[in-house]
Protein backbone atom coordinates (compact mmCIF):
# COMPACT_ATOMS: atom_id res chain seq x y z
CA UNK A 1 0.00 0.00 0.00
CA UNK A 2 1.32 3.43 -0.87
CA UNK A 3 0.91 6.29 1.58
CA UNK A 4 -1.86 8.83 0.84
CA UNK A 5 -0.62 11.73 -1.31
CA UNK A 6 0.15 15.07 0.31
CA UNK A 7 -2.25 17.70 -1.10
CA UNK A 8 -0.55 20.09 -3.56
CA UNK A 9 -1.71 23.20 -5.40
CA UNK A 10 -0.57 25.49 -8.21
CA UNK A 11 1.06 27.89 -5.74
CA UNK A 12 3.53 25.14 -4.81
CA UNK A 13 4.99 25.37 -8.31
CA UNK A 14 6.38 28.80 -7.49
CA UNK A 15 8.10 27.39 -4.40
CA UNK A 16 9.59 24.07 -5.49
CA UNK A 17 10.00 23.95 -9.28
CA UNK A 18 12.85 25.64 -11.16
CA UNK A 19 11.01 28.54 -12.82
CA UNK A 20 11.62 27.65 -16.49
CA UNK A 21 7.87 27.59 -17.18
CA UNK A 22 4.81 29.64 -16.25
CA UNK A 23 2.03 27.03 -16.21
CA UNK A 24 -1.68 27.86 -16.27
CA UNK A 25 -3.54 28.50 -13.03
CA UNK A 26 -5.18 25.06 -12.80
CA UNK A 27 -3.69 21.58 -12.39
CA UNK A 28 -4.96 18.86 -14.75
CA UNK A 29 -5.35 15.51 -13.02
CA UNK A 30 -7.03 13.21 -15.54
CA UNK A 31 -7.68 12.96 -19.28
CA UNK A 32 -9.84 10.88 -21.58
CA UNK A 33 -9.66 11.33 -25.34
CA UNK A 34 -9.64 15.10 -25.92
CA UNK A 35 -11.14 16.02 -22.55
CA UNK A 36 -9.16 16.86 -19.42
CA UNK A 37 -10.31 17.36 -15.81
CA UNK A 38 -8.62 19.59 -13.27
CA UNK A 39 -8.35 19.31 -9.47
CA UNK A 40 -11.75 20.92 -8.96
CA UNK A 41 -13.43 18.52 -11.40
CA UNK A 42 -13.78 21.14 -14.15
CA UNK A 43 -13.84 19.57 -17.62
CA UNK A 44 -11.75 21.17 -20.38
CA UNK A 45 -11.50 20.50 -24.11
CA UNK A 46 -7.92 19.82 -25.15
CA UNK A 47 -6.82 21.38 -28.45
CA UNK A 48 -3.15 21.25 -27.36
CA UNK A 49 -2.49 17.52 -27.44
CA UNK A 50 0.27 18.11 -24.90
CA UNK A 51 2.02 20.30 -27.53
CA UNK A 52 1.70 17.86 -30.43
CA UNK A 53 2.46 14.82 -28.24
CA UNK A 54 -0.81 13.11 -27.25
CA UNK A 55 -1.35 11.93 -30.79
CA UNK A 56 -4.21 9.60 -29.82
CA UNK A 57 -5.59 11.76 -27.01
CA UNK A 58 -5.43 10.84 -23.34
CA UNK A 59 -5.65 7.29 -22.00
CA UNK A 60 -6.18 5.61 -25.38
CA UNK A 61 -7.04 2.00 -24.50
CA UNK A 62 -4.49 0.49 -26.92
CA UNK A 63 -1.68 2.62 -25.48
CA UNK A 64 -2.71 1.93 -21.89
CA UNK A 65 -2.73 -1.79 -22.76
CA UNK A 66 0.69 -1.64 -24.45
CA UNK A 67 2.19 0.24 -21.51
CA UNK A 68 0.71 -1.90 -18.75
CA UNK A 69 1.41 -5.14 -20.60
CA UNK A 70 5.07 -4.21 -21.06
CA UNK A 71 5.27 -2.80 -17.51
CA UNK A 72 4.60 -6.28 -16.16
CA UNK A 73 7.38 -7.79 -18.31
CA UNK A 74 10.50 -5.65 -18.68
CA UNK A 75 11.00 -1.90 -18.20
CA UNK A 76 14.68 -1.46 -18.73
CA UNK A 77 17.53 -3.76 -19.58
CA UNK A 78 20.28 -1.39 -20.84
CA UNK A 79 21.86 -1.30 -24.26
CA UNK A 80 24.23 -4.13 -23.38
CA UNK A 81 21.20 -6.17 -24.47
CA UNK A 82 18.69 -5.46 -27.19
CA UNK A 83 14.96 -5.96 -26.69
CA UNK A 84 11.95 -7.10 -28.68
CA UNK A 85 9.87 -3.86 -28.65
CA UNK A 86 12.84 -1.80 -29.95
CA UNK A 87 13.51 -4.24 -32.78
CA UNK A 88 9.84 -4.42 -33.78
CA UNK A 89 9.53 -0.62 -33.69
CA UNK A 90 12.69 -0.10 -35.78
CA UNK A 91 11.47 -2.62 -38.37
CA UNK A 92 8.14 -0.83 -38.69
CA UNK A 93 9.67 2.64 -38.95
CA UNK A 94 12.29 1.69 -41.51
CA UNK A 95 9.73 -0.26 -43.57
CA UNK A 96 7.49 2.82 -43.66
CA UNK A 97 10.16 5.40 -44.58
CA UNK A 98 13.28 6.15 -46.66
CA UNK A 99 15.46 4.98 -43.81
CA UNK A 100 17.34 1.74 -43.17
CA UNK A 101 18.30 2.36 -39.53
CA UNK A 102 16.75 3.84 -36.39
CA UNK A 103 18.43 5.34 -33.33
CA UNK A 104 16.23 5.67 -30.25
CA UNK A 105 16.65 8.25 -27.49
CA UNK A 106 14.36 10.09 -25.10
CA UNK A 107 13.47 13.51 -26.50
CA UNK A 108 13.50 15.69 -29.57
CA UNK A 109 16.60 17.56 -28.45
CA UNK A 110 18.48 14.29 -28.06
CA UNK A 111 17.32 13.11 -31.48
CA UNK A 112 18.64 16.33 -33.04
CA UNK A 113 21.85 16.17 -31.01
CA UNK A 114 22.39 12.70 -32.49
CA UNK A 115 21.54 13.93 -35.99
CA UNK A 116 23.95 16.88 -35.84
CA UNK A 117 26.75 14.74 -34.41
CA UNK A 118 26.15 12.05 -37.03
CA UNK A 119 26.18 14.61 -39.86
CA UNK A 120 29.49 16.02 -38.62
CA UNK A 121 31.00 12.58 -38.14
CA UNK A 122 29.90 11.49 -41.60
CA UNK A 123 31.43 14.59 -43.21
CA UNK A 124 34.58 14.23 -41.12
CA UNK A 125 35.05 10.60 -42.18
CA UNK A 126 34.18 11.08 -45.85
CA UNK A 127 35.55 14.58 -46.61
CA UNK A 128 37.76 15.64 -43.70
CA UNK A 129 37.55 17.97 -40.68
CA UNK A 130 37.00 21.14 -42.73
CA UNK A 131 33.50 20.03 -43.68
CA UNK A 132 31.70 20.76 -40.42
CA UNK A 133 29.41 23.73 -41.01
CA UNK A 134 25.70 23.43 -40.29
CA UNK A 135 23.09 25.73 -41.81
CA UNK A 136 19.70 26.15 -40.21
CA UNK A 137 16.85 28.63 -40.48
CA UNK A 138 16.19 31.80 -38.56
CA UNK A 139 13.43 31.24 -35.98
CA UNK A 140 13.87 27.48 -36.08
CA UNK A 141 13.60 25.36 -32.95
CA UNK A 142 15.58 22.17 -32.44
CA UNK A 143 15.61 21.64 -28.66
CA UNK A 144 17.31 22.98 -25.53
CA UNK A 145 20.72 21.33 -25.29
CA UNK A 146 23.59 23.72 -25.99
CA UNK A 147 24.21 22.25 -29.47
CA UNK A 148 20.52 22.32 -30.39
CA UNK A 149 19.85 25.86 -29.14
CA UNK A 150 22.90 27.00 -31.08
CA UNK A 151 21.61 25.38 -34.26
CA UNK A 152 18.12 26.72 -33.49
CA UNK A 153 17.67 30.21 -34.89
CA UNK A 154 16.55 32.00 -31.72
CA UNK A 155 19.19 33.96 -29.78
CA UNK A 156 16.81 34.28 -26.80
CA UNK A 157 17.36 30.55 -26.21
CA UNK A 158 21.06 30.34 -27.04
CA UNK A 159 22.64 33.52 -25.63
CA UNK A 160 24.06 33.78 -22.14
CA UNK A 161 25.36 30.24 -21.74
CA UNK A 162 29.02 30.83 -22.48
CA UNK A 163 30.92 29.92 -25.63
CA UNK A 164 28.80 28.36 -28.35
CA UNK A 165 29.50 25.53 -30.72
CA UNK A 166 31.17 27.02 -33.79
CA UNK A 167 30.36 26.64 -37.45
CA UNK A 168 26.60 27.25 -37.39
CA UNK A 169 24.90 29.77 -39.67
CA UNK A 170 21.29 30.85 -39.96
CA UNK A 171 19.41 31.81 -43.11
CA UNK A 172 15.87 33.20 -43.48
CA UNK A 173 13.32 30.39 -43.82
CA UNK A 174 11.69 29.83 -47.22
CA UNK A 175 14.40 31.94 -48.89
CA UNK A 176 16.19 29.69 -51.37
CA UNK A 177 18.52 32.45 -52.60
CA UNK A 178 19.79 32.99 -49.05
CA UNK A 179 20.46 29.28 -48.68
CA UNK A 180 22.22 29.16 -52.06
CA UNK A 181 24.40 32.11 -51.05
CA UNK A 182 25.42 30.51 -47.74
CA UNK A 183 25.92 26.83 -48.58
CA UNK A 184 29.43 25.78 -49.59
CA UNK A 185 31.62 22.72 -49.77
CA UNK A 186 32.33 23.25 -46.05
CA UNK A 187 28.66 22.68 -45.26
CA UNK A 188 28.09 19.26 -43.71
CA UNK A 189 24.34 19.62 -43.20
CA UNK A 190 21.31 21.79 -43.76
CA UNK A 191 18.64 21.28 -41.10
CA UNK A 192 15.05 22.38 -41.65
CA UNK A 193 11.66 21.91 -40.06
CA UNK A 194 9.18 21.11 -42.89
CA UNK A 195 6.78 23.29 -40.89
CA UNK A 196 8.34 25.71 -38.42
CA UNK A 197 6.32 24.77 -35.35
CA UNK A 198 7.36 26.75 -32.30
CA UNK A 199 7.82 30.01 -34.17
CA UNK A 200 4.41 30.23 -35.79
CA UNK A 201 3.28 27.07 -37.67
CA UNK A 202 4.90 28.21 -40.90
CA UNK A 203 4.98 25.55 -43.65
CA UNK A 204 7.91 25.33 -46.07
CA UNK A 205 7.20 26.16 -49.70
CA UNK A 206 7.42 23.19 -52.04
CA UNK A 207 10.12 24.90 -54.12
CA UNK A 208 12.14 25.66 -50.99
CA UNK A 209 12.49 22.05 -49.88
CA UNK A 210 13.09 20.87 -53.45
CA UNK A 211 15.75 23.55 -53.90
CA UNK A 212 17.37 22.73 -50.56
CA UNK A 213 17.60 19.08 -51.61
CA UNK A 214 19.35 20.05 -54.86
CA UNK A 215 21.77 22.43 -53.13
CA UNK A 216 22.67 19.76 -50.56
CA UNK A 217 23.35 17.23 -53.32
CA UNK A 218 25.49 19.73 -55.21
CA UNK A 219 27.65 20.44 -52.15
CA UNK A 220 27.70 16.91 -50.68
CA UNK A 221 25.84 18.16 -47.63
CA UNK A 222 23.25 16.11 -45.78
CA UNK A 223 19.66 17.31 -45.60
CA UNK A 224 18.23 16.83 -42.12
CA UNK A 225 14.52 17.25 -41.52
CA UNK A 226 13.59 18.01 -37.93
CA UNK A 227 10.20 16.33 -37.77
CA UNK A 228 10.06 16.27 -33.99
CA UNK A 229 6.77 18.20 -34.20
CA UNK A 230 5.52 17.35 -37.71
CA UNK A 231 6.17 13.60 -37.65
CA UNK A 232 3.99 10.59 -36.85
CA UNK A 233 0.82 11.45 -38.71
CA UNK A 234 0.45 15.04 -37.58
CA UNK A 235 0.32 16.45 -41.13
CA UNK A 236 -1.89 13.71 -42.56
CA UNK A 237 1.08 11.68 -43.83
CA UNK A 238 3.24 9.54 -41.58
CA UNK A 239 6.02 12.14 -41.90
CA UNK A 240 5.71 15.64 -43.37
CA UNK A 241 8.42 14.99 -45.98
CA UNK A 242 5.95 12.64 -47.67
CA UNK A 243 3.62 15.59 -48.38
CA UNK A 244 6.44 17.28 -50.27
CA UNK A 245 8.00 14.28 -51.95
CA UNK A 246 11.40 15.56 -50.80
CA UNK A 247 13.44 12.93 -48.97
CA UNK A 248 15.98 13.87 -46.30
CA UNK A 249 19.17 11.98 -45.45
CA UNK A 250 18.44 12.08 -41.73
CA UNK A 251 15.09 12.61 -40.02
CA UNK A 252 14.31 13.22 -36.37
CA UNK A 253 11.05 12.68 -34.52
CA UNK A 254 9.88 12.58 -30.90
CA UNK A 255 6.70 14.27 -29.57
CA UNK A 256 3.88 12.22 -31.18
CA UNK A 257 5.90 9.01 -31.45
CA UNK A 258 5.30 7.99 -27.84
CA UNK A 259 1.78 9.39 -27.65
CA UNK A 260 2.81 10.91 -24.29
CA UNK A 261 5.50 8.46 -23.22
CA UNK A 262 8.97 9.98 -23.72
CA UNK A 263 10.87 8.69 -26.74
CA UNK A 264 13.03 10.24 -29.46
CA UNK A 265 14.00 8.88 -32.86
CA UNK A 266 16.63 9.49 -35.51
CA UNK A 267 16.24 7.78 -38.87
CA UNK A 268 19.06 7.46 -41.41
CA UNK A 269 20.22 5.45 -44.38
CA UNK A 270 22.67 2.54 -44.01
CA UNK A 271 25.48 4.51 -45.59
CA UNK A 272 25.23 7.40 -43.15
CA UNK A 273 24.32 5.38 -40.05
CA UNK A 274 27.49 3.31 -40.48
CA UNK A 275 29.50 6.34 -39.27
CA UNK A 276 28.07 5.94 -35.76
CA UNK A 277 30.06 2.83 -34.90
CA UNK A 278 30.12 1.09 -31.49
CA UNK A 279 30.96 3.62 -28.80
CA UNK A 280 30.73 6.83 -30.84
CA UNK A 281 27.31 7.78 -29.47
CA UNK A 282 24.89 6.38 -26.92
CA UNK A 283 22.21 6.79 -24.26
CA UNK A 284 21.23 4.84 -21.14
CA UNK A 285 17.47 4.97 -21.55
CA UNK A 286 17.22 5.23 -25.34
CA UNK A 287 15.33 2.34 -26.89
CA UNK A 288 14.04 1.03 -23.57
CA UNK A 289 11.32 -1.63 -23.85
CA UNK A 290 8.59 0.46 -22.18
CA UNK A 291 8.91 3.45 -24.50
CA UNK A 292 9.29 1.28 -27.58
CA UNK A 293 6.27 -0.87 -26.72
CA UNK A 294 4.09 2.23 -26.46
CA UNK A 295 5.54 3.75 -29.65
CA UNK A 296 4.92 0.51 -31.51
CA UNK A 297 1.24 0.73 -30.57
CA UNK A 298 1.20 4.37 -31.73
CA UNK A 299 2.71 3.47 -35.11
CA UNK A 300 0.28 0.56 -35.57
CA UNK A 301 -2.70 2.88 -35.13
CA UNK A 302 -1.42 6.07 -36.78
CA UNK A 303 0.09 4.52 -39.90
CA UNK A 304 -3.27 3.49 -41.35
CA UNK A 305 -5.29 5.16 -44.13
CA UNK A 306 -8.26 5.64 -41.74
CA UNK A 307 -6.26 7.72 -39.27
CA UNK A 308 -4.15 9.63 -41.83
CA UNK A 309 -7.15 10.48 -44.03
CA UNK A 310 -9.05 11.43 -40.88
CA UNK A 311 -6.33 13.94 -40.05
CA UNK A 312 -6.77 15.63 -43.44
CA UNK A 313 -10.56 15.74 -43.05
CA UNK A 314 -10.27 17.17 -39.54
CA UNK A 315 -7.91 19.86 -40.83
CA UNK A 316 -10.61 21.09 -43.23
CA UNK A 317 -13.19 20.95 -40.42
CA UNK A 318 -11.01 23.02 -38.09
CA UNK A 319 -10.04 25.46 -40.80
CA UNK A 320 -13.67 26.17 -41.72
CA UNK A 321 -14.68 26.70 -38.11
CA UNK A 322 -11.67 28.83 -37.26
CA UNK A 323 -12.02 31.08 -40.31
CA UNK A 324 -15.66 31.70 -39.36
CA UNK A 325 -14.64 32.65 -35.84
CA UNK A 326 -11.93 34.90 -37.24
CA UNK A 327 -14.37 36.58 -39.61
CA UNK A 328 -17.02 37.14 -36.95
CA UNK A 329 -14.72 38.51 -34.25
CA UNK A 330 -11.75 39.91 -36.11
CA UNK A 331 -8.87 38.33 -34.17
CA UNK A 332 -7.30 36.56 -37.14
CA UNK A 333 -8.01 36.10 -40.83
CA UNK A 334 -5.33 33.59 -41.85
CA UNK A 335 -5.32 29.93 -40.81
CA UNK A 336 -2.26 27.92 -41.87
CA UNK A 337 -0.50 24.63 -41.22
CA UNK A 338 -1.25 21.05 -42.16
CA UNK A 339 -3.31 18.28 -40.60
CA UNK A 340 -3.54 18.60 -36.84
CA UNK A 341 -0.89 21.33 -36.65
CA UNK A 342 -2.77 24.56 -37.19
CA UNK A 343 -1.82 28.20 -36.75
CA UNK A 344 -4.21 31.16 -36.57
CA UNK A 345 -2.17 34.22 -37.52
CA UNK A 346 -3.33 37.20 -35.44
CA UNK A 347 -4.42 40.36 -37.24
CA UNK A 348 -2.42 43.54 -36.72
CA UNK A 349 -4.68 44.80 -33.94
CA UNK A 350 -4.06 41.53 -32.02
CA UNK A 351 -0.33 41.13 -32.76
CA UNK A 352 1.64 40.24 -29.65
CA UNK A 353 -1.51 39.25 -27.75
CA UNK A 354 -1.59 35.47 -28.10
CA UNK A 355 -1.23 35.06 -24.33
CA UNK A 356 -4.42 37.08 -23.74
CA UNK A 357 -6.28 34.75 -26.08
CA UNK A 358 -4.78 31.71 -24.37
CA UNK A 359 -6.03 33.04 -21.02
CA UNK A 360 -9.49 33.87 -22.41
CA UNK A 361 -9.80 30.35 -23.84
CA UNK A 362 -8.84 28.88 -20.49
CA UNK A 363 -11.65 30.84 -18.83
CA UNK A 364 -14.02 29.08 -21.28
CA UNK A 365 -12.50 25.68 -20.35
CA UNK A 366 -10.57 25.31 -23.60
CA UNK A 367 -6.87 24.44 -23.82
CA UNK A 368 -5.02 26.05 -26.76
CA UNK A 369 -1.38 26.94 -27.52
CA UNK A 370 0.65 29.87 -28.67
CA UNK A 371 3.42 29.68 -31.25
CA UNK A 372 5.19 32.91 -30.46
CA UNK A 373 3.27 36.07 -29.53
CA UNK A 374 1.43 36.43 -32.87
CA UNK A 375 0.04 32.97 -33.60
CA UNK A 376 -2.50 30.73 -31.85
CA UNK A 377 -1.49 27.11 -32.36
CA UNK A 378 -3.68 24.04 -32.18
CA UNK A 379 -2.16 20.55 -32.09
CA UNK A 380 -5.00 18.28 -31.01
CA UNK A 381 -5.21 14.51 -31.01
CA UNK A 382 -5.25 13.06 -34.54
CA UNK A 383 -8.46 11.24 -33.67
CA UNK A 384 -10.28 14.05 -31.84
CA UNK A 385 -14.01 13.39 -32.06
CA UNK A 386 -16.45 15.65 -33.89
CA UNK A 387 -18.33 16.42 -30.65
CA UNK A 388 -15.11 17.66 -29.06
CA UNK A 389 -14.16 19.74 -32.12
CA UNK A 390 -17.62 21.35 -32.16
CA UNK A 391 -17.67 22.04 -28.43
CA UNK A 392 -14.07 23.32 -28.43
CA UNK A 393 -14.76 25.68 -31.33
CA UNK A 394 -17.91 26.92 -29.56
CA UNK A 395 -15.82 27.69 -26.49
CA UNK A 396 -13.17 29.38 -28.64
CA UNK A 397 -15.90 31.49 -30.22
CA UNK A 398 -17.18 32.59 -26.78
CA UNK A 399 -13.63 33.56 -25.77
CA UNK A 400 -13.10 35.47 -29.03
CA UNK A 401 -16.47 37.25 -28.68
CA UNK A 402 -15.69 38.39 -25.14
CA UNK A 403 -12.24 39.63 -26.16
CA UNK A 404 -13.49 41.54 -29.18
CA UNK A 405 -16.28 43.15 -27.13
CA UNK A 406 -13.97 44.15 -24.28
C1 LIG B 1 9.67 20.20 -29.48
C2 LIG B 1 10.69 20.28 -30.54
C3 LIG B 1 12.03 19.91 -30.31
C4 LIG B 1 12.54 19.56 -28.94
O1 LIG B 1 11.97 18.39 -28.43
P1 LIG B 1 12.16 18.05 -26.88
O2 LIG B 1 11.50 16.72 -26.73
O3 LIG B 1 11.49 19.14 -26.11
O4 LIG B 1 13.61 18.00 -26.60
C5 LIG B 1 12.91 19.92 -31.38
N1 LIG B 1 12.51 20.27 -32.61
C6 LIG B 1 11.23 20.62 -32.88
C7 LIG B 1 10.85 20.98 -34.27
C8 LIG B 1 10.29 20.65 -31.85
O5 LIG B 1 9.03 21.03 -32.11
Amino acid sequence: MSAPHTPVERADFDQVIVPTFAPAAFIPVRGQGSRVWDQSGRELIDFTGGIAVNVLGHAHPALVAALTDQAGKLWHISNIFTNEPALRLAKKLTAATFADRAFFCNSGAEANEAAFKLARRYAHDTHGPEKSEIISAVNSFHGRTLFTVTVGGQPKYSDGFGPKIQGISHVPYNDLDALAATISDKTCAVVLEPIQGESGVLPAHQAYLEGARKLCDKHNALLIFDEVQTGMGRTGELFAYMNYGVTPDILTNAKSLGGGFPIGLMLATDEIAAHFSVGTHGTTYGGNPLACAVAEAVVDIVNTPEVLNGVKARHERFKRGLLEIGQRHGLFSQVRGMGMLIGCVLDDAWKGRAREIFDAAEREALMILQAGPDVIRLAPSLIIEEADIAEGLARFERAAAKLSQA
Side-chain angles (χ1 to χ4, degrees), residues 107-109 112 141-143 193 198 226 228-229 255:
S107 68
N112 285 326
F141 184 78
H142 301 300
E193 296 165 81
E198 294 303 305
D226 177 348
V228 170
Q229 187 153 166
K255 293 197 167 87

Side-chain angles (χ1 to χ4, degrees), residues 79 103-106 110 281-287:
N79 287 306
F103 174 80
F104 295 119
C105 49
N106 311 288
E110 275 179 72
H281 193 64
T283 153
T284 295
Y285 288 127

Side-chain angles (χ1 to χ4, degrees), residues 288-348:
N288 71 79
L290 262 187
C292 292
V294 177
E296 185 190 6
V298 169
V299 174
D300 284 345
I301 294 171
V302 168
N303 195 21
T304 56
E306 302 89 272
V307 169
L308 295 175
N309 291 335
V311 170
K312 292 176 182 143
R314 283 172 179 78
H315 178 87
E316 295 310 317
R317 169 73 178 94
F318 265 99
K319 192 166 179 180
R320 258 197 330 272
L322 289 166
L323 283 171
E324 279 169 23
I325 293 170
Q327 269 151 24
R328 281 197 285 266
H329 305 289
L331 275 60
F332 51 83
S333 41
Q334 194 197 345
V335 175
R336 68 190 179 197
M338 281 184 204
M340 290 297 90
L341 182 58
I342 299 170
C344 307
V345 186
L346 299 181
D347 287 346
D348 283 346

